[in-house]
């Protein structure tokens, strides 16, 4: 005679309950053993079988009978330092090493000609400066001025040397060429842009242009402006001044634009200065290309007049191939 469904289900439930009780007993026994062991560790008491494992017999107590009287002292745990603090310590070590290296290179001591402490300056080109170099290079590659496989501007050795000299307030005289190369113009423009952004963040303002770039011809002014105008998205406005355009048009452009960079021939710049259309008494950087070039307008005399009109503390960069 076969078993009914009720009897089968009762047997199954009985077996499951029995199995559950066994598992519960096993877990409870294990938990009880763990709790007991923890209490023994806290009080310093040990089982008889553990006496020789945890303490050595002495002359006063050769059989370890005073285990229960031993004072148990907890060791104070040092607070674990967070990952952020560890990274901060590592970065501080790196920064100290950088300071030492820059000090050995002559960049970590003294003051600039403006009187500001060099230690307050950055010890390496900022990320924004490198981003400006990359922006200029990509713009020149898009319009076909540069090839796509050209090395990045920020690894250009001349740019690094220029930035170091600029950081300590030294003038730069480049005698290998009469005109600045594309990478050199990019480094000058990016460094000026970075300085403008940093000083405006500190609340400083500029009454006139920050950079004046003196070139010998109208064609050269257009070439330099083509490189500098890539920084327009960074808030940098660039104008070129030369005799090939109406002076009234240039005066109107200077008043409406208020540029940070001015690319100009020396004669036209002096003419606009005499008309009070532009103020160069507060510029921070003067770049001169080929000062030995002599034209009908008196190139050399015009450059001397410009030098006498700018502050003595401004940075100066001269490109000349004369030895």
């Amino acid at each position: 005679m076969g078993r009914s469904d009720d009897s089968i289900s009762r047997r199954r439930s009985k077996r499951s309950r029995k199995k559950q009780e066994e598992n519960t007993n096993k877990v409870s026994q294990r938990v009880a053993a763990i709790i007991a062991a923890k209490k023994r560790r806290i009080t310093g008491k040990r089982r008889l079988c553990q006496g020789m494992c945890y303490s050595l017999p002495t002359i006063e107590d050769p059989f370890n009978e005073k285990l229960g009287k031993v004072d148990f002292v907890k060791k104070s745990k040092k607070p674990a330092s967070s990952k952020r603090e560890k990274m901060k310590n590592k970065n501080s070590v790196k920064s100290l090493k950088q300071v030492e290296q820059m000090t050995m290179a002559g960049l970590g001591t003294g003051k600039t000609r403006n009187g500001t402490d060099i230690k307050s300056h950055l010890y390496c080109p900022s990320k924004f400066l490198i981003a400006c170099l990359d922006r200029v290079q990509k713009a020149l590659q898009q319009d076909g001025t540069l090839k796509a496989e050209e090395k990045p501007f920020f690894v250009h050795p001349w740019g690094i040397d220029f930035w170091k000299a600029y950081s300590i307030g030294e003038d730069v005289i480049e005698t290998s060429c009469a005109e600045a190369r594309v990478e050199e113009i990019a480094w000058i423009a990016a460094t000026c842009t970075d300085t403008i952004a940093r000083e405006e963040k500190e609340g400083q303002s500029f009454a006139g242009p920050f950079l004046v770039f003196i070139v010998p011809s109208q064609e050269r002014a257009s070439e330099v402006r083509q490189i500098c105008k890539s920084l327009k998205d960074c808030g940098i406005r660039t104008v070129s001044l030369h005799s090939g355009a109406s002076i009234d048009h240039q005066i109107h452009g200077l008043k409406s634009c208020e540029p940070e960079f001015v690319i100009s021939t020396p004669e036209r710049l002096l003419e606009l200065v005499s008309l009070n259309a532009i103020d160069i008494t507060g510029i921070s950087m003067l770049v001169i290309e080929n000062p030995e070039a002599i034209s009908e307008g008196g190139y050399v005399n015009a450059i001397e007049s410009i030098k006498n009109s700018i502050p003595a503390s401004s940075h100066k960069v001269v490109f000349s191939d004369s030895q």
Side-chain angles (χ1 to χ4, degrees):
M1 184 176 178
R3 298 178 182 176
S4 63
D5 294 338
D6 293 338
S7 62
I8 294 173
S9 62
R10 283 196 297 272
R11 288 176 181 274
R12 287 179 179 175
S13 60
K14 185 177 180 180
R15 284 197 298 269
S16 64
R17 284 196 303 272
K18 186 177 180 180
K19 188 175 181 180
Q20 188 174 1
E21 290 176 358
E22 292 176 355
N23 292 336
T24 303
N25 292 333
K26 289 181 180 179
V27 173
S28 60
Q29 291 174 2
R30 185 168 175 244
V31 171
I34 293 172
I35 294 173
K38 187 175 181 181
K39 288 182 179 179
R40 287 194 298 272
R41 287 197 302 271
I42 294 173
T43 59
K45 294 180 181 180
R46 303 174 180 84
R47 294 178 183 176
L48 292 177
C49 65
Q50 295 175 339
M52 296 299 293
C53 298
Y54 287 89
S55 62
L56 295 175
T58 60
I59 298 175
E60 293 81 6
D61 186 19
F63 299 103
N64 291 321
E65 294 176 350
K66 297 181 180 180
L67 291 175
K69 299 180 181 180
V70 177
D71 294 330
F72 183 78
V73 181
K74 284 186 178 181
K75 292 183 179 180
S76 59
K77 294 183 178 179
K78 295 182 180 179
S81 58
S82 61
K83 292 183 178 179
R84 183 178 296 178
E85 291 177 353
K86 291 180 180 179
M87 292 300 295
K88 187 177 180 180
N89 294 334
K90 289 182 180 179
N91 293 334
S92 64
V93 173
K94 289 181 180 179
S95 63
L96 289 174
K97 290 182 179 179
Q98 290 176 354
V99 171
E100 292 176 359
Q101 292 175 359
M102 301 304 282
T103 304
M104 295 298 293
L107 297 178
T109 57
K111 293 186 177 181
T112 62
R113 69 180 74 190
N114 294 327
T116 56
D117 192 357
I118 293 173
K119 291 182 180 179
S120 64
H121 287 207
L122 298 175
Y123 291 106
C124 61
S126 66
K127 292 182 180 179
F128 180 68
L129 191 152
I130 295 174
C132 291
L133 288 172
D134 186 59
R135 184 186 294 272
V136 174
Q137 186 169 12
K138 287 182 178 179
L140 295 176
Q141 288 174 348
Q142 289 177 358
D143 62 19
T145 305
L146 285 179
K147 297 180 181 180
E149 59 271 11
E150 291 286 342
K151 292 183 178 180
F153 283 170
F154 64 83
V155 299
H156 197 272
W158 185 92
I160 301 297
D161 294 338
F162 162 76
W163 182 87
K164 290 179 180 179
Y166 176 83
S167 298
I168 59 177
E170 290 185 352
D171 295 332
V172 176
I173 299 177
E174 179 60 50
T175 59
S176 63
C177 56
E179 293 183 350
R181 302 176 183 89
V182 175
E183 298 88 349
E184 296 165 353
I185 298 173
W187 263 98
I188 293 171
T191 302
C192 292
T193 303
D194 179 59
T195 304
I196 292 171
R198 187 172 62 251
E199 294 186 0
E200 285 183 346
K201 190 176 180 179
E202 295 174 356
Q204 300 183 22
S205 58
F206 304 97
F210 186 92
L211 166 67
V212 172
F213 203 114
I214 303 299
V215 292
S217 64
Q218 175 183 345
E219 293 76 13
R220 182 58 180 168
S222 300
E223 293 175 0
V224 176
R225 182 179 180 274
Q226 183 69 20
I227 299 172
C228 294
K229 75 176 186 179
S230 306
L231 298 171
K232 185 178 181 180
D233 294 339
C234 300
I236 301 299
R237 290 152 294 188
T238 305
V239 298
S240 59
L241 307 174
H242 46 77
S243 58
S246 170
I247 192 169
D248 294 332
H249 175 73
Q250 292 177 350
I251 292 173
H252 177 73
L254 288 171
K255 289 181 179 180
S256 60
C257 179
E258 295 183 357
E260 286 77 19
F261 293 174
V262 171
I263 319 299
S264 177
T265 55
E267 299 86 356
R268 178 50 60 96
L269 181 63
L270 286 177
E271 188 176 0
L272 291 169
V273 169
S274 64
L275 296 174
N276 294 325
I278 185 172
D279 182 16
I280 62 173
T281 58
I283 69 170
S284 298
M285 178 172 288
L286 175 66
V287 182
I288 302 173
E289 284 190 348
N290 199 3
E292 290 78 17
I294 299 176
S295 62
E296 296 178 358
Y299 189 89
V300 176
N301 294 333
I303 289 177
E304 291 298 326
S305 300
I306 294 171
K307 286 183 178 179
N308 296 330
S309 301
I310 65 174
S313 60
S314 61
H315 299 269
K316 300 175 185 65
V317 182
V318 179
F319 292 90
S320 174
D321 58 355
S322 62
Q323 301 296 331

